[in-house]
Amino acid sequence: MSDSMNVWAVIVAAGRGHRVGADTRAPKQYREVGGMTIIARAMRPFLDHPDISGVVVVIHADDEELFEAATRELSGLVPVRIVHGGKTRQESSRIGLESIADKGADFVLIHDAARPFIDRATVDRVIDALRDGAEAVLPAVAVSDTLKRIDDHQTVIDTVSRDGLFAAQTPQGFDFNTVLDAHRKAVVASEARFTDDCAVMEWAGHAVKLSRGSRTNTKITTLEDLHMAEDMLNARRLPDIRTGNGYDVHRLVEGDGVWLCGIKIDHDKRLDGHSDADVALHALTDALLATCGAGDIGDHFPPSDPQWKGASSSIFLRKAVDIVAEHGGTVLNADVSLIAEAPKIGPHRQAMRESLARIIGITVDRCSVKATTNEKLGFVGRDEGIAAIATASVYYGDLDGK
Ligand code: MG
C-alpha cells in the first residue's frame, strides 16, 4: 500500500462524564490534568501527525464554549472540524464518521477524548496494521489482574480465567468505508448497545486485529482516575535544572596583585579593566545570568558606566544571584576554571572557594575552583592575560520539589 493513504481522526468527546464527581461543573474531558485539559492532551498526537489529514471532534451541543476554551492553546498541522454528537457514544461516533463521508478517507482512527495519555507509538502501530490490510485494529493490553465475578451482595461467585483477555483501548483504526457501513447497518438494525467501534465491526462480521496498546493510555472515568493521572504527570515531570557557562579574559599589566574569585593575590602584575577585573567572577556572573536568559554582565554593568570604575566584582556576582532568585532560581553549584601561567593558584584555591560560597550564599562544597597553565601557548602562555571559564547550575522551582 502506498504511504499517501488519506487518514482522518475522529475524537469522541460528547460524553457528560458525571462519574468524575458531583462537584464537577464541566464534563471530565474539559478538566485539566497537569496544566492542560484532558481533551487537548487527547487530541494532540493526532494534530501534528504527518499521516493524518484532518481531525473531527464530536462534542456535545452545550459544550462549544468549553471546547473553544479548552483547546485555545492547541496548534497543529491539520484542520479541526467540530460536530455535535448524539445520545450515545455509538451515535456520536457515527455522526463523526458521516461528517467526513465526502473526504475520501481511506482510514479513520476513532479515539476517546477521555484518554489523554495516548502516545505517538500506539497511534503509529494502529496505522501500520491498517496499512498491512486490517479492516479494524484494536489497541489493547493483556489483562494482568485476576478477575472475579460477583453477585448482587458483593460476594465473589467465580474466578474468571484471564487467559486470552485483553482490555480495549483507543484509537481504534478502521477502513473508512467499512466502518461507516457497519455503523449505518447498526442503525437500520436498531442495534444501539455498542460501547466501542470495534464492537460494531464485530457485530457486522468483520475481523478485528489486535495491536499493542500502552499501559499508560488509561481512560479517565472517575475522580480517582483524575487524581492518579495528576500524580503520574507530576512523577514524570523533570526537575527544572539549568546550566549556564561563562568565559572572560583580562589583560595583565604592571601592578601589585590580581583579584580572582573575590580575593586579592600578591603578584607583580594586575588585571586591567574598568572594575577590579576579576575574570573569575565575571565569567561566573555570565554563567548565572545564562540560566535564566538574563543577558550578560555587559548588559547589567556597562563598562561605559562610571559608577563601576574600580568596583569590586563581587557586586556583579551578587546581582546575578539576585536576578536568578527573582526568576525563582536557587543556585546549586558554581565551578570556575582559571587559565593562567602565574600567579600560582593552588595555594589560594580553598580561600577562593570560600569567597565564592560567601558571595553566592551557598556551601563551600558546592563551589569549585580549578586552575591550569596554558603550557606557554598563546596569550596566556606569554603571560599577557588570564582567562576564566565558569559553569553554574540552578534549580528553578519550589524547594520542596513540587
Ligand atoms: Mg570581564
Side-chain angles (χ1 to χ4, degrees), residues 91-113:
E91 198 182 342
S92 292
S93 211
R94 183 179 49 76
I95 290 168
L97 293 170
E98 293 283 7
S99 78
I100 51 168
D102 61 347
K103 292 291 164 196
D106 298 296
F107 302 140
V108 64
L109 307 179
I110 305 178
H111 184 59
D112 282 332

Side-chain angles (χ1 to χ4, degrees), residues 94 97-98 101 177-190 200 203:
R94 183 179 49 76
L97 293 170
E98 293 283 7
N177 291 323
T178 310
V179 72
L180 178 56
D181 190 52
H183 266 282
R184 285 173 175 171
K185 278 182 179 152
V187 173
V188 172
S190 298
V200 181
W203 168 81

Side-chain angles (χ1 to χ4, degrees), residues 8 33 55 87-88 106 182 200 255 264 266 268 277 294 316 323-324 346 361 374 381 390:
W8 279 70
V33 272
V55 173
K87 282 190 282 296
T88 62
D106 298 296
V200 181
K264 191 171 183 187
D266 280 346
D268 57 2
F316 308 156
I323 290 170
V324 160
N374 221 28

Side-chain angles (χ1 to χ4, degrees), residues 40-308:
R41 285 184 184 278
M43 288 170 62
R44 209 169 34 168
F46 302 94
L47 293 178
D48 54 12
H49 196 295
D51 295 343
I52 293 178
S53 319
V55 173
V56 181
V57 189
V58 188
I59 66 170
H60 191 278
D62 295 343
D63 293 347
E64 291 224 1
E65 279 176 27
L66 281 172
F67 179 80
E68 157 67 20
T71 57
R72 197 170 287 141
E73 309 281 292
L74 272 189
S75 63
L77 302 171
V78 304
V80 176
R81 303 156 58 110
I82 310 301
V83 293
H84 292 163
K87 282 190 282 296
T88 62
R89 189 195 179 284
Q90 184 184 334
E91 198 182 342
S92 292
S93 211
R94 183 179 49 76
I95 290 168
L97 293 170
E98 293 283 7
S99 78
I100 51 168
D102 61 347
K103 292 291 164 196
D106 298 296
F107 302 140
V108 64
L109 307 179
I110 305 178
H111 184 59
D112 282 332
R115 291 189 190 270
F117 303 118
I118 177 61
D119 57 296
R120 174 67 176 269
T122 301
V123 174
D124 286 347
R125 284 192 292 270
V126 173
I127 295 175
D128 287 347
L130 291 169
R131 286 210 172 102
D132 287 346
E135 285 186 308
V137 183
L138 173 73
V141 291
V143 171
S144 56
D145 293 327
T146 296
L147 299 174
K148 304 288 183 183
R149 196 186 313 279
I150 58 168
D151 65 11
D152 293 343
H153 310 288
Q154 305 286 303
T155 303
V156 172
I157 51 173
D158 193 13
T159 296
V160 182
S161 168
R162 66 183 175 218
D163 283 355
L165 285 186
F166 280 76
Q169 300 186 341
T170 68
Q172 299 176 0
F174 305 97
D175 175 81
F176 183 81
N177 291 323
T178 310
V179 72
L180 178 56
D181 190 52
H183 266 282
R184 285 173 175 171
K185 278 182 179 152
V187 173
V188 172
S190 298
E191 289 283 359
R193 62 196 153 93
F194 303 118
T195 52
D196 74 351
D197 302 281
C198 280
V200 181
M201 290 289 271
E202 293 156 39
W203 168 81
H206 299 285
V208 174
K209 183 98 183 136
L210 217 68
S211 82
R212 185 158 54 84
S214 155
R215 292 263 169 221
T216 53
N217 182 23
T218 55
K219 186 171 183 175
I220 295 183
T221 307
T222 64
L223 198 57
E224 192 184 10
D225 296 338
L226 196 69
H227 293 154
M228 279 173 62
E230 281 284 358
D231 290 346
M232 190 170 90
L233 285 171
N234 282 334
R236 246 195 232 171
R237 196 171 294 147
L238 287 170
D240 188 1
I241 294 170
R242 309 182 198 170
T243 303
N245 75 62
Y247 172 77
D248 196 25
V249 176
H250 279 260
R251 188 184 295 274
L252 283 163
V253 295
E254 285 303 310
D256 63 347
V258 291
W259 282 92
L260 291 171
C261 295
I263 64 170
K264 191 171 183 187
I265 299 172
D266 280 346
H267 194 41
D268 57 2
K269 294 180 176 168
R270 66 174 174 85
L271 287 167
D272 192 29
H274 188 62
S275 62
D276 65 9
D278 188 328
V279 281
L281 295 192
H282 293 185
L284 191 51
T285 298
D286 274 353
L288 283 174
L289 293 173
T291 65
C292 54
D296 67 15
I297 190 168
D299 296 331
H300 298 275
F301 305 101
S304 55
D305 189 337
Q307 69 168 306
W308 309 123

Side-chain angles (χ1 to χ4, degrees), residues 326-390:
E326 283 161 22
H327 282 79
T330 304
V331 180
L332 296 177
N333 77 306
D335 180 23
V336 172
S337 289
L338 290 162
I339 305 138
E341 297 295 331
K344 282 208 175 311
I345 305 297
H348 308 286
R349 276 175 73 184
Q350 184 60 21
M352 289 178 174
R353 291 176 63 206
E354 287 167 6
S355 168
L356 292 181
R358 214 163 32 240
I359 300 166
I360 301 169
I362 57 177
T363 52
V364 179
D365 63 303
R366 292 171 183 271
C367 297
S368 160
V369 175
K370 312 186 297 304
T372 179
T373 70
N374 221 28
E375 296 289 340
K376 303 281 183 201
L377 295 167
F379 69 86
V380 172
R382 292 190 299 271
D383 218 14
E384 293 166 7
I386 292 177
I389 295 170

